[in-house]
């Protein structure tokens, strides 16, 4: 294959590649472009549904593979093919929605086509730089969600004790669910065994790239499996403490200071 890459660099978005204004700095974009030119397969891996990643990868045309919904879906955006998809079982979705309804926790379902909590055509007010469109996966009046492929459920509960209790109840009543966190006020629910690490491993094996040739960048708990799988793991100074303790390099720069560009130059391209 003419454009076959021998190395991979995988980037989380929020708190990592994006600055505090939810934008990719010019320095970060230029560093990603240099990686591509130096034989790296540049991959985005986010807890977001893919529809909320498009504004970023469309501006980086060299990116081919996008991991969304915390590892539940991988798409080749060059061929527009879904090459890996691991939705949550319909029965598990129904039980999770029922738990959220009973406890009053906010619940959003993520799929390739969108998010459940936002009607078609409206703007997500917490993501004011992105327009949300063409959603098929919306909450129905009868709460029957099983007819839609759902790779992730994002459950928000701002009370720490209630969140802890919610996590325990889900673990007990929905054993086929994988529980992680991309926020200390929410739970990320995927199909059992699905996370960014398993998705990166699957993609690396498909592309015949060895773990020692992979660099991963993240900041939160849902990035741990991905960071531990990669031969080189790098986080910015704003990463949560639990993550910092489990990676190879902690940068002095934050995500808002283009820490990703600094890490790429310092540890991958070996330039200051």
């Amino acid at each position: 294959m003419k454009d076959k890459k021998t190395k991979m660099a995988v980037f989380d978005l929020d708190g990592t590649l994006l600055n505090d204004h939810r934008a990719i700095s010019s320095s970060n974009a230029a560093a990603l472009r240099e990686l591509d030119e130096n034989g790296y397969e540049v991959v985005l891996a986010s807890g977001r549904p893919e529809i909320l990643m498009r504004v970023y990868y469309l501006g980086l045309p060299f990116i081919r593979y996008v991991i969304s919904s915390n590892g539940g879906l991988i798409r080749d955006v060059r061929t527009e093919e879904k090459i890996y998809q691991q939705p949550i079982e319909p029965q598990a979705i129904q039980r999770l929605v029922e738990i959220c309804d009973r406890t009053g926790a906010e619940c959003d379902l993520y799929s390739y086509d969108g998010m459940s909590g936002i009607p078609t055509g409206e703007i997500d007010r917490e993501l004011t730089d992105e327009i949300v469109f063409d959603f098929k996966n919306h909450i129905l009046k009868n709460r029957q969600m099983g007819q839609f492929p759902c790779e992730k459920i994002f459950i928000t509960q701002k009370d720490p004790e209630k969140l802890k209790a919610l996590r325990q109840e889900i673990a007990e009543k929905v054993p086929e669910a994988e529980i992680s966190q991309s926020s200390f006020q929410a739970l990320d629910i995927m199909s059992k065994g699905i996370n960014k690490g398993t998705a990166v491993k699957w993609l690396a094996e498909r592309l015949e790239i060895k773990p020692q040739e992979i660099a991963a960048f993240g900041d939160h708990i849902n990035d741990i499996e991905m960071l531990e799988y990669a031969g080189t793991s790098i986080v910015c100074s704003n990463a949560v403490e639990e993550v910092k303790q489990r990676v190879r390099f902690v940068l002095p720069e934050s995500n808002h200071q283009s820490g990703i560009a600094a890490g790429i130059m310092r540890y991958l391209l070996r330039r200051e």
Side-chain angles (χ1 to χ4, degrees):
M1 188 184 299
K2 186 177 179 180
D3 60 347
K4 180 177 173 61
K5 303 292 180 67
T6 59
K7 295 172 284 187
M8 181 188 296
V10 189
F11 299 88
D12 168 55
L13 286 181
D14 297 280
T16 304
L17 185 60
L18 305 186
N19 61 25
D20 293 346
H21 301 308
R22 293 195 176 95
I24 299 176
S25 70
S26 58
S27 296
N28 281 354
L32 264 59
R33 193 172 298 108
E34 282 206 50
L35 281 181
D36 173 69
E37 293 169 354
N38 281 273
Y40 279 85
E41 193 72 67
V42 179
V43 178
L44 300 184
S46 177
R48 296 181 182 213
E50 196 203 311
I51 200 168
L52 294 185
M53 299 175 69
R54 291 177 194 173
V55 67
Y56 302 112
Y57 71 71
L58 289 176
L60 302 168
F62 50 86
I63 288 179
R64 179 166 186 171
Y65 300 103
V66 174
I67 298 170
S68 59
S69 294
N70 225 52
L73 179 69
I74 306 175
R75 207 165 72 89
D76 181 334
V77 298
R78 191 173 299 170
T79 65
E80 299 188 355
E81 179 188 2
K82 299 176 190 177
I83 59 173
Y84 174 92
Q85 188 174 26
Q86 297 293 331
I88 304 169
E89 289 291 329
Q91 299 86 347
I93 295 172
Q94 193 63 42
R95 274 178 277 142
L96 287 160
V97 171
E98 288 169 358
I99 290 171
C100 291
D101 282 345
R102 179 172 49 77
T103 61
E106 294 184 16
C107 171
D108 285 319
L109 282 73
Y110 290 15
S111 79
Y112 163 73
D113 300 297
M115 290 168 56
S116 63
I118 310 170
T120 300
E122 288 198 2
I123 295 176
D124 179 345
R125 289 169 177 79
E126 292 186 1
L127 297 168
T128 54
D129 55 333
E130 297 154 342
I131 297 177
V132 181
F133 59 93
D134 196 23
F135 284 171
K136 296 179 183 177
N137 190 18
H138 58 283
I139 291 181
L140 303 179
K141 291 181 180 179
N142 62 9
R143 314 295 282 173
Q144 297 293 322
M145 306 310 322
Q147 61 186 291
F148 297 107
C150 169
E151 292 86 37
K152 171 182 161 180
I153 297 181
F154 187 69
I155 299 174
T156 307
Q157 174 51 262
K158 295 182 179 180
D159 185 303
E161 291 304 314
K162 289 182 179 179
L163 185 69
K164 183 179 178 181
L166 191 61
R167 180 170 188 147
Q168 183 175 346
E169 182 176 0
I170 291 171
E172 292 173 354
K173 294 183 178 179
V174 195
E176 58 270 57
E178 183 81 9
I179 308 172
S180 187
Q181 288 185 262
S182 55
S183 163
F184 289 122
Q185 296 183 334
L187 300 175
D188 296 66
I189 311 297
M190 291 74 61
S191 182
K192 192 70 175 178
I194 300 303
N195 54 60
K196 290 185 184 181
T198 56
V200 170
K201 181 177 185 291
W202 186 93
L203 181 60
E205 290 175 350
R206 176 185 174 97
L207 300 178
E208 299 181 334
I209 297 175
K210 297 177 181 179
Q212 58 266 34
E213 299 297 334
I214 299 173
F217 297 74
D219 76 304
H220 219 288
I221 293 168
N222 67 322
D223 296 314
I224 287 176
E225 292 89 354
M226 173 178 77
L227 291 163
E228 291 186 336
Y229 176 74
T232 301
S233 52
I234 304 172
V235 300
C236 295
S237 61
N238 57 286
V240 301
E241 195 59 37
E242 181 179 349
V243 176
K244 287 181 178 180
Q245 294 173 4
R246 300 170 77 163
V247 300
R248 186 174 178 185
F249 299 114
V250 178
L251 299 164
E253 298 89 353
S254 72
N255 67 306
H256 197 60
Q257 297 169 312
S258 297
I260 294 306
I264 288 170
M265 294 303 173
R266 195 171 298 147
Y267 299 118
L268 301 187
L269 300 180
R270 304 295 180 182
R271 298 182 217 147
E272 285 295 339

